[in-house]
Each structure stands twice: as C-alpha cells, then as structure tokens.
Amino acid sequence: MRRGLFLPIAATLGFAFLYLPIISLVVFSFNESDLVTVWSGFSTKWYGKLFADEQMLGAAWLSLRIAFFSATFALVLGTLCAVALVRFKRFRGRTVLAGTVSAPLVMPDVITGLAMLLLFVGMESVLGWPAGRGIVTIIIAHTTFCMAYITVVVQSRLSDLDLSLEEAAMDLGATPFRVFFDITLPIIAPALVSGWLLGFTLSLDDLVIASFVSGPGSSTLPMVIFSKIKLGVSPDVNALATIIIGVVALGVVAATIIGLRSSSKVKRA
Amino acid sequence: MTLTGNQLPPPRRLRPWSGLERRLRDVGISGRTLVIAAPAIWLTVFFLVPLFVVFGISLATKQFGRPPYSPLLTTEGGTVQLTLHLSNYLKLFTDPLYVAAYLSSIRIALIATVITLFIGYPMAYAIARAPDKWRNILLMLVILPFWTSFLLRVYALSGFMRGNGVINQILAVFGIEPLVMMQTNFAVYVGIVYTYLPFMILPLYTTLVKLDTSLLEASADLGSRPWQTFLSVTLPLSLPGIIAGSMLVFIPAIGEFVIPSLLGGPETLMIGRVLWDEFFGATNWPRAAAVAVAMLVVVVIPILLLQKAQDAVVEKGK
C-alpha cells in the first residue's frame, strides 16, 4: 500500500526539519573553534565564557525576574477573567471583555509594543507616572499579553468543570469566596500551573514588546541575544541556547510522563 | 473542671480571605463585581486605551523634543485648539514603499501559510493515525519547540542555512557549489514555516484524531481509491482544523519582525520591519503609529473573513 509508506516518510522528514537545526546548534556549542560551523574538537570553553559574561548574566537575571512577576500577575488577572467569562453568563460588557482579552493573542508584537510605549509616554507627561521606562513598564506590558493566554487555558479547564461540586458546597452554606478557594481553585490547579509556566515562557521569550517599552540599562536577555546574533554567529549564544533547550526539554518530558501516568491511572480506576 | 466538646473552639484552617470578604462587603463591593472589574479595568487601561493613543498620535507630526511628536491639543489664550494631521496617512498611500510593504507582507505570509499546511497536514495525519503509545511521544515532539525560545530557533536555522552552514557543508561533500540561502526571501519562507509549524499541526491533529475511521472504511468498501477517500471524506471533515491552523500561521506572520530582520535580505519588505525602522531608525513616532493603524486593518480583515468561513463550516456541520 503506497499511502501506508507516504505518511511515515512525510512525518520523519517533517520531524527532521524541526529538529536538525536544533541538534546542530547544540553540537556546535561544544566546538573548540569560534567558527560556529567548522568542527575542530570538543570543548566546553564557550560555557565558561558565557558564565563570565556579566552583561549576559545580568540580562538573564532581569528577564527571569520580569518573567516571574509578569506570569504571577497575569495568572491572577487571567484566572479572574476566566471565572468572570465562564461563571457569570450575563453582565454588561461581557462580549467586550471576551473580545478584548483574546485580542492580544492575534495582535502583532510591533503594534502591542508601540501602543504600550505611547501609552507610557503619555501617562508620564500627564500623570508623572511611570517615570522613565524599565522593569516596571516591561512587567505591565508582559502581564497584559500573558493574561490573554492564561485566560484561554483556565477558561477551557473551568468550562469542563463539574458544577455539582460547587453547588453542593453552596447548599452546605459555604460563601462564594470559600467555594472558590476550597473547591474551584484546587480542581483547576493543573491549569493554573500550566498557565503560569506558559506566561513565564512567553515573557522570557519576548523580544519585540520589551524592545519598545524598556529603558536604558534594562536590556532583557532576548534583546542582548538579538543584538549579538545581528552582528553574526557567536558560540556563547549556542551554549546559552543549549542550556535553555535542555531545561525546557526536561520540563516538557517530565510533564508528559506525569500526564501519561495520571491518565493511565484514571483509565485503570 | 471538664471541657465538653461544645466548649472547644472548632478546628479552623487559616482563611485569610474571609476577612477580606467581610471588609469588601462592608464597603459594598461584592466578590462578583471584583472578579469582573479587576481584569476589565486592567485591559481597558493597558490594552484598549493604548490603541486609541496610537490612533491619536498617528494624527500628529514628528517634531524635535520630548516626546518627539506635535501635541494634538494646545491651549492658546484660553481656547483649546485641536490640531490633526492627515499627512501620515497620505504618505502611506502615496509613498510606494508602504503599499509595497503591505502587499509583500500579505504575499509572504500567504505563501508561507500554504507551505506550512502542505508540510503540517501529513505530519498531523501521521500522528493522528499512529499507535497509541507513539502518539503522545510524537505530540510531545511537536510541542517541545513551541516551548523553546522563538529567537533561538531562528538563530538555529540561520546557523543551518548560512554560507558555510551545515547544508552547504553537506552539499560540498557531494561536490555541489554552495547555495546562497541567507538574506533572501527563501530564508524568510523557511523561517516562517519552521517556527510556525507546531501552530499548524496541533489544530489539524485535533480535528484529524476525532475523525470517524468507519467513514473511511465505508468509502473504501464502496470502491473509492485512497486518494478519492482522502479528497471526498478526510479533507472536507478536517476543514475546521485547516482554517484554524492557517489562521494561527497567517495572522502573526503578517506582522513578523524577527524573521525578516534576521533571515531576510534588503529586498525582503515586511510591514513589521518597516514599522520598527520608522520608530527606532527614523524616530518618526507618528508615522510608525499610522503604519500600525493601517496594519491593524490589514490584520483584522482576514480575521473577520476567516471567522466567517469557520462559522459557515460549523453551521454546515450542524
């Protein structure tokens, strides 16, 4: 059967296309030579150089802090938004809220970045806040677009949720606050964890929006990487990429294994 | 003295929110209002208002100073004067650069979306038809690049395609002249396909995995050849996935900045890059704002059209 062969071959080629560039990037991070493409022997010197690079380390620390706060704020706001959209069927401006929260998903980064910057400049001249731009303005901008993704993740979990548990708690006299914190929150916890991780990754990854709203002395990691690779290849970026890819791969593999275990438990039960 | 059960305080877990709840109720704010208001206020201030600010500043002109644009409202002798300039929009229509950039962005995004669909469809179909134990691993392999940095994936691709990159070294082994791939539109297509492939595969997979295989068997029993079955059963049923996946690739690709600036050459004209250069290079903020407003129109129209197409498909499915 010809179709029997076509699909596996197409899939193999497709996965090769996805993974060969990444594999070559990882391999050349262990290259002795500073030519990123010619192999001249195994070395870990680029990792040493990376950890001695003050600018890169500073940018990485800044980006991690921004990602932590942005993901956390976005998680709170995104969860509230998801609860409002799923649980409260009727309120004024529901359609506007639903549209506005998903709009950042399709908004080109250059527009979001420019719009945020013009807002901050305008606010500064009218209100005197935020004075200048830096970590605070980046966190505000990242919170806004991460919130959109987190709302989608939490919304889909909430709409699958069995309402009878919440109703039972209400019947037993629990206040809405208590129902939310004691029943709803523990059940949607997995969605909250993956939403937070998604927000953290998106914030850590953003180049365009951060470039618009950052100020002098607040260059994030993607901004430093971008200016480095704009000038040409640099093996220490390969080393950094290898570390990031390694951490992400471990995380995704672990999450998949945990997911498989729990789903097979459910099947057995 | 003996303590009876009644006198013991009930075991209480710490509930910091019950105090908060009481205090809010005292001021007359219900939990419901708070839940709706917090995200609504945030989105209004940091998403809707900025879009209006962009529109406002697109009607100003560039001037030296801080901020580098002319004020819209000026007070002169007690009267407030509103000055609006349409020159930025006029420039967008008269300067061939901008029109060419919009058209070329749409063309590049469209071609790249079609290529992504042709590569992504067989992959999604293969994953959907794979044995159970393989399926999750293959899906994980699709999702994994999505979690790794976009910028670093573009960098990995540039290392692959550059003059002395991996591809040209392999070609050299066979005695083939090195190909010039970087700084061309070709590299931009490869870049978009490479980075957006997971967005195409995942929605396609979700529709293809739900496909009822008995329909395929019925079609085969009735004498259809595999490709006839594919064209008349599988393809129409996977249309929602095709539309969703194409939307997820096409729309962000129009406004793409990183790929054209790292992989593209001087002849690669894309609107995201034009906006960036207008802002950071020429520091013409009002012009950049006008480019953004026009770009928003270009992005919103395909969204509305595709939304309509998707609704029609769903309608038909019912």
Side-chain angles (χ1 to χ4, degrees):
Chain A
M1 225 174 104
R2 262 181 42 235
R3 214 176 105 236
L5 264 182
F6 171 72
L7 279 182
I9 292 173
T12 312
L13 288 177
F15 280 111
F17 172 57
L18 273 181
Y19 279 92
L20 282 180
I22 295 178
I23 292 169
S24 106
L25 176 98
V26 171
V27 168
F28 279 106
S29 78
F30 294 106
N31 193 8
E32 170 80 54
S33 150
D34 57 355
L35 288 167
V36 187
T37 44
V38 183
W39 185 258
S40 62
F42 181 86
S43 158
T44 53
K45 72 173 181 189
W46 300 113
Y47 291 84
K49 199 179 164 228
L50 180 70
F51 286 108
D53 187 339
E54 293 285 332
Q55 191 203 11
M56 200 83 121
L57 291 181
W61 175 230
L62 179 73
S63 279
L64 287 173
R65 276 183 298 164
I66 290 173
F68 177 82
F69 287 113
S70 306
T72 309
F73 295 149
L75 182 66
V76 174
L77 287 166
T79 308
L80 289 177
C81 195
V83 170
L85 290 175
V86 176
R87 285 287 180 269
F88 308 149
K89 291 290 172 223
R90 235 169 273 199
F91 58 88
R92 247 205 338 236
R94 188 177 181 279
T95 14
V96 179
L97 185 65
T100 317
V101 75
S102 54
L105 298 176
V106 290
M107 188 66 73
D109 285 350
V110 278
I111 297 183
T112 312
L114 179 71
M116 279 288 181
L117 172 80
L118 294 179
L119 174 82
F120 292 138
V121 170
M123 278 171 78
E124 193 183 359
S125 67
V126 177
L127 305 172
W129 184 91
R133 288 173 297 280
I135 182 163
V136 175
T137 49
I138 302 176
I139 290 175
I140 292 175
H142 281 184
T143 301
T144 310
F145 85 87
C146 291
M147 178 184 164
Y149 287 88
I150 293 177
T151 304
V152 172
V153 172
V154 177
Q155 218 178 341
S156 69
R157 182 80 188 96
L158 263 181
S159 43
D160 295 343
L161 199 87
D162 190 359
L163 266 181
S164 58
L165 283 174
E166 290 179 18
E167 278 161 8
M170 296 267 214
D171 289 347
L172 294 169
T175 62
F177 265 78
R178 207 171 145 187
V179 172
F180 180 74
F181 283 101
D182 282 0
I183 311 280
T184 318
L185 217 51
I187 299 179
I188 62 171
L192 298 184
V193 172
S194 51
W196 189 87
L197 285 173
L198 184 62
F200 188 82
T201 322
L202 288 168
S203 166
L204 205 59
D205 200 17
D206 167 65
L207 164 75
V208 175
I209 296 172
S211 299
F212 277 96
V213 298
S214 78
S218 59
S219 293
T220 62
L221 188 61
M223 288 164 70
V224 172
I225 295 175
F226 183 73
S227 61
K228 256 185 191 274
I229 58 187
K230 198 77 191 154
L231 296 173
V233 285
S234 48
D236 47 338
V237 174
N238 284 40
L240 178 71
T242 303
I243 295 172
I244 293 177
I245 290 167
V247 171
V248 169
L250 277 180
V252 172
V253 171
T256 310
I257 291 172
I258 293 167
L260 286 179
R261 285 245 176 91
S262 60
S263 70
S264 65
K265 245 182 228 161
V266 170
K267 263 181 210 156
R268 251 177 289 156
Chain B
M1 201 176 102
T2 53
L3 274 172
T4 62
N6 278 348
Q7 285 162 313
L8 272 174
R12 276 183 69 91
R13 271 174 52 201
L14 193 63
R15 295 183 200 287
W17 54 87
S18 58
L20 175 77
E21 188 184 4
R22 214 178 315 113
R23 229 164 292 149
L24 281 172
R25 213 183 308 125
D26 292 344
V27 217
I29 299 174
S30 70
R32 185 188 153 104
T33 319
L34 193 75
V35 167
I36 298 171
I41 291 172
W42 182 280
L43 285 171
T44 308
V45 174
F46 294 116
F47 187 75
L48 291 179
V49 171
L51 293 181
F52 285 105
V53 173
V54 169
F55 184 64
I57 288 172
S58 74
L59 297 169
T61 53
K62 180 184 175 176
Q63 69 175 30
F64 292 99
R66 288 188 66 180
Y69 49 83
S70 62
L72 294 181
L73 289 171
T74 43
T75 41
E76 212 174 311
T79 53
V80 181
Q81 205 174 359
L82 179 70
T83 323
L84 301 177
H85 300 262
L86 287 172
S87 55
N88 293 310
Y89 289 98
L90 277 176
K91 193 81 180 163
L92 289 191
F93 287 107
T94 50
D95 191 330
L97 166 82
Y98 297 105
V99 180
Y102 283 110
L103 292 178
S104 136
S105 297
I106 294 174
R107 198 185 59 233
I108 290 177
L110 200 64
I111 295 174
T113 305
V114 173
I115 303 172
T116 316
L117 178 62
F118 275 97
I119 297 178
Y121 200 102
M123 288 179 77
Y125 202 36
I127 299 171
R129 291 282 157 270
D132 276 345
K133 61 172 181 187
W134 276 94
R135 198 182 299 154
N136 286 311
I137 295 169
L138 292 175
L139 265 185
M140 186 194 77
L141 285 175
V142 172
I143 295 167
L144 189 63
F146 170 77
W147 286 91
T148 47
S149 164
F150 178 83
L151 188 60
L152 291 174
R153 272 184 292 148
V154 175
Y155 173 67
L157 201 58
S158 78
F160 219 59
M161 293 196 295
R162 67 182 62 246
N164 54 357
V166 176
I167 291 180
N168 277 329
Q169 287 186 30
I170 294 171
L171 291 181
V173 173
F174 296 101
I176 302 170
E177 288 284 300
L179 300 171
V180 177
M181 286 174 283
M182 287 293 286
Q183 264 91 48
T184 62
N185 280 348
F186 171 77
V188 175
Y189 291 129
V190 177
I192 295 175
V193 174
Y194 182 68
T195 46
Y196 287 100
L197 195 55
F199 292 96
M200 180 65 88
I201 295 178
L202 292 177
L204 280 173
Y205 166 79
T206 7
T207 50
L208 286 170
V209 81
K210 281 186 291 200
L211 197 82
D212 189 353
T213 43
S214 62
L215 292 174
L216 304 181
E217 282 159 22
S219 170
D221 289 347
L222 293 170
S224 294
R225 297 184 157 278
W227 60 269
Q228 282 174 322
T229 305
F230 176 78
L231 287 181
S232 57
V233 180
T234 315
L235 201 59
L237 285 175
S238 60
L239 207 55
I242 294 176
I243 293 173
S246 304
M247 224 164 135
L248 287 176
V249 177
F250 179 69
I251 290 161
I254 296 179
E256 189 52 57
F257 163 75
V258 175
I259 294 172
S261 84
L262 285 180
L263 301 177
E267 96 270 12
T268 312
L269 206 51
M270 286 192 82
I271 199 64
R273 205 177 169 189
V274 169
L275 192 156
W276 180 282
D277 291 341
E278 208 66 79
F279 183 86
F280 288 101
T283 54
N284 192 342
W285 293 16
R287 182 75 52 76
V291 172
V293 172
M295 188 164 150
L296 211 53
V297 174
V298 173
V299 174
V300 165
I301 290 171
I303 295 177
L304 293 178
L305 286 176
L306 284 163
Q307 198 80 52
K308 230 176 163 182
Q310 193 150 32
D311 288 349
V313 169
V314 172
E315 225 24 63
K316 234 170 109 189
K318 280 176 191 164

